[in-house]
């Protein structure tokens, strides 16, 4: 409780914590702290009122505006175990009219815990959620605290993409009678869109959009509205995938990594009918948040993909065809980058779990 109180009264003012300058291919980049003292922050949601929301995995949601942070009441109860807890937050495209936000979290399900998605309204004061509704729960859940995935992205048509990890049960990612190891697509009220790829297949959960994923912790749309995800491999084989409906992305049948024991995974790196990643890392860099950049402040980065590294403490910039990692943006501020998003003004915001800070990145002077 003392830590929460400290966060609630925290004021960020220019001069308290100075901005730093990092070097990038575009020239100097200014990195400014927006809130400090966070405990296992997981996701950022930028609001149109110049405020922002940030989740903490143990179950806290904070509203920050004008240098002041408030704890938001009314957050769903989370099963904070291992990698589970309060995870992603996404601001609805029509927030100005509806004030709706989407949350993903691990929800207790008897003796198990499963991915859940909730929609709620943020009060005008920013300190309370109302009309909280759980619109999706993954079936069947799991007993481990691993591999929740758990990003939520609102598509251009208003449907929601949600990433779900294999929960440490590798074969489950190929079993389409459950939601493990998949990307799902649902309407904002939780119903199944009629054009989902498996909606008429009784052997597949109708919410499934793609499957064969291990632990996709990053997700974002490009300018064409296509979904890109980043996902953890085992020992090697971290991937960036362009997700298409109805396709199988191979885990654990194919992988560019090996088990932590050093043993081979599955049948090799390729098999007919299974998708190849657009890019992969070996050794693993532990990818988390992913964002496709608009080019607003850095025109030369338009369409580039940014992915945070939890293991090697940098922000990867990927570009080209075939896709390649072309730059690593790195400094003290990039210690364990969990989330990365673009604000409406084109600035790039990211979470450093290691620092317990949300940072804002802009072109340097």
């Amino acid at each position: 409780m003392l830590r929460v109180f400290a966060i609630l009264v925290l004021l960020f003012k220019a001069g308290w914590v100075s901005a730093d300058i990092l070097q990038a291919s575009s020239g100097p980049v200014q990195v400014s702290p927006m809130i400090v003292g966070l405990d296992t922050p997981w996701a950022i949601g930028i609001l149109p009122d110049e405020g922002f929301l940030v989740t903490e995995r143990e179950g806290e949601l904070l509203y920050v505006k004008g240098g002041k942070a408030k704890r938001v009441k009314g957050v769903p109860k989370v099963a904070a175990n291992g990698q589970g807890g309060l995870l992603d937050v996404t601001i609805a495209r029509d927030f100005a009219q509806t004030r709706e936000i989407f949350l993903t979290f691990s929800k207790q399900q008897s003796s198990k815990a499963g991915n859940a998605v909730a929609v709620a309204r943020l009060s005008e004061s920013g300190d309370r959620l109302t009309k909280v509704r759980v619109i999706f729960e993954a079936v069947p859940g799991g007993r481990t605290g691993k591999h929740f995935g758990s990003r939520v992205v609102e598509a251009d048509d208003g449907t929601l993409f949600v990433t779900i990890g294999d929960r440490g049960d590798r074969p489950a990612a190929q079993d389409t009678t459950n939601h493990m190891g998949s990307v799902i697509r649902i309407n904002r009220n939780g119903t199944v869109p009629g054009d989902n790829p498996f909606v008429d297949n009784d052997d597949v959960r109708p919410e499934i959009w793609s499957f064969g994923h291990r632990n996709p912790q990053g997700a974002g749309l490009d300018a064409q509205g296509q979904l890109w995800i980043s996902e953890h491999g085992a020992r090697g084989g971290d991937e960036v995938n362009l997700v298409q409906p109805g396709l199988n992305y191979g885990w654990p049948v194919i992988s560019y990594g090996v088990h932590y024991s050093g043993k081979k995974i599955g049948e090799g790196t390729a098999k007919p009918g299974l998708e190849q990643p657009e890019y992969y890392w070996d050794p693993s860099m532990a990818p988390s948040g992913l964002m496709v950049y608009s080019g607003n402040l850095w025109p030369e980065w338009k369409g580039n993909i940014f992915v945070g590294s939890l293991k090697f403490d940098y922000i990867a910039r990927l570009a080209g065809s075939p896709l390649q990692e072309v730059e690593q943006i790195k400094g003290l501020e990039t210690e364990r980058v969990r989330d990365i998003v673009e604000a409406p003004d084109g600035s790039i915001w990211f979470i450093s779990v290691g620092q317990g800070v949300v940072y804002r990145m802009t072109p340097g002077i």
Side-chain angles (χ1 to χ4, degrees):
M1 294 300 295
L2 290 176
R3 190 204 62 78
V4 172
F5 180 75
I7 287 289
L8 294 180
V9 301
L10 172 69
L11 299 180
F12 171 76
K13 295 181 179 179
W16 274 38
V17 185
S18 61
D20 197 5
I21 299 294
L22 302 181
Q23 293 301 317
S25 61
S26 63
V29 171
Q30 182 169 288
V31 181
S32 305
M34 305 306 293
I35 183 171
V36 303
L38 298 170
D39 182 10
T40 321
W42 215 91
I44 323 161
I46 309 293
L47 295 161
D49 67 355
E50 299 184 351
F52 65 95
L53 297 173
V54 57
T55 63
E56 294 182 310
R57 198 173 62 201
E58 290 298 310
E60 300 287 357
L61 178 65
L62 301 174
Y63 170 72
V64 187
K65 184 178 179 182
K68 298 181 180 180
K70 302 177 183 179
R71 183 175 61 153
V72 181
K73 299 177 182 178
V75 175
K77 184 178 180 181
V78 307
N81 175 34
Q83 297 169 6
L86 182 59
L87 302 173
D88 206 11
V89 56
T90 293
I91 311 304
R93 293 176 183 275
D94 60 0
F95 178 86
Q97 292 75 45
T98 66
R99 299 198 63 83
E100 287 191 337
I101 66 169
F102 308 106
L103 297 170
T104 68
F105 60 102
S106 53
K107 183 177 184 292
Q108 196 68 44
Q109 300 168 325
S110 185
S111 61
K112 300 180 180 181
N115 290 66
V117 181
V119 60
R121 293 186 181 180
L122 181 68
S123 65
E124 293 284 347
S125 59
D127 62 355
R128 181 174 293 278
L129 297 182
T130 62
K131 297 188 177 180
V132 181
R133 309 179 305 283
V134 175
I135 59 172
F136 171 81
E137 289 188 41
V139 175
R143 289 189 171 87
T144 74
K146 296 188 208 176
H147 300 181
F148 286 89
S150 211
R151 292 293 173 189
V152 56
V153 176
E154 185 181 5
D156 293 342
D157 63 3
T159 59
L160 303 177
F161 291 115
V162 185
T163 68
I164 302 173
D166 69 2
R167 300 303 313 287
D169 180 0
R170 291 190 295 272
Q174 291 294 320
D175 179 359
T176 54
T177 65
N178 68 62
H179 293 116
M180 306 304 101
S182 70
V183 173
I184 67 154
R185 177 174 176 256
I186 55 176
N187 292 315
R188 277 177 58 164
N189 62 2
T191 58
V192 177
D195 58 349
N196 269 12
F198 300 112
V199 74
D200 295 321
N201 189 330
D202 292 339
D203 296 325
V204 183
R205 291 279 173 180
E207 297 90 353
I208 291 178
W209 185 254
S210 65
F211 63 101
H213 303 287
R214 184 174 183 269
N215 188 19
Q217 286 192 350
L221 301 176
D222 63 19
Q224 291 73 46
Q226 300 178 110
L227 179 69
W228 293 79
I229 66 171
S230 57
E231 52 185 300
H232 293 262
R235 189 171 149 192
D238 296 342
E239 296 182 355
V240 173
N241 284 300
L242 174 59
V243 179
Q244 302 288 353
L247 299 186
N248 182 348
Y249 287 80
W251 176 258
V253 181
I254 60 172
S255 174
Y256 283 90
V258 297
H259 292 300
Y260 294 114
S261 66
K263 291 183 178 180
K264 178 182 176 181
I265 294 174
E267 302 175 24
T269 59
K271 185 177 181 179
L274 304 182
E275 299 305 304
Q276 286 289 302
E278 298 295 320
Y279 184 76
Y280 71 90
W281 286 272
D282 189 13
S284 294
M285 51 82 92
S288 194
L290 177 149
M291 175 268 293
V292 185
Y293 189 62
S294 71
N296 282 351
L297 290 183
W298 290 275
E300 63 271 37
W301 288 351
K302 184 176 182 179
N304 290 188
I305 295 173
F306 290 76
V307 179
S309 168
L310 292 165
K311 183 177 180 181
F312 293 138
D313 303 334
Y314 69 91
I315 296 171
R317 182 171 69 85
L318 298 100
S321 181
L323 193 67
Q324 297 291 324
E325 183 184 88
V326 296
E327 183 174 13
Q328 295 180 1
I329 300 171
K330 191 177 179 79
L332 293 177
E333 295 81 1
T334 60
E335 183 182 0
R336 289 184 59 78
V337 177
R338 172 64 74 183
D339 195 16
I340 184 163
V341 301
E342 181 181 353
D345 65 358
S347 59
I348 296 173
W349 293 49
F350 65 92
I351 286 176
S352 166
V353 181
Q355 298 285 326
V357 178
V358 172
Y359 288 104
R360 178 176 181 261
M361 192 163 74
T362 54
I365 298 173

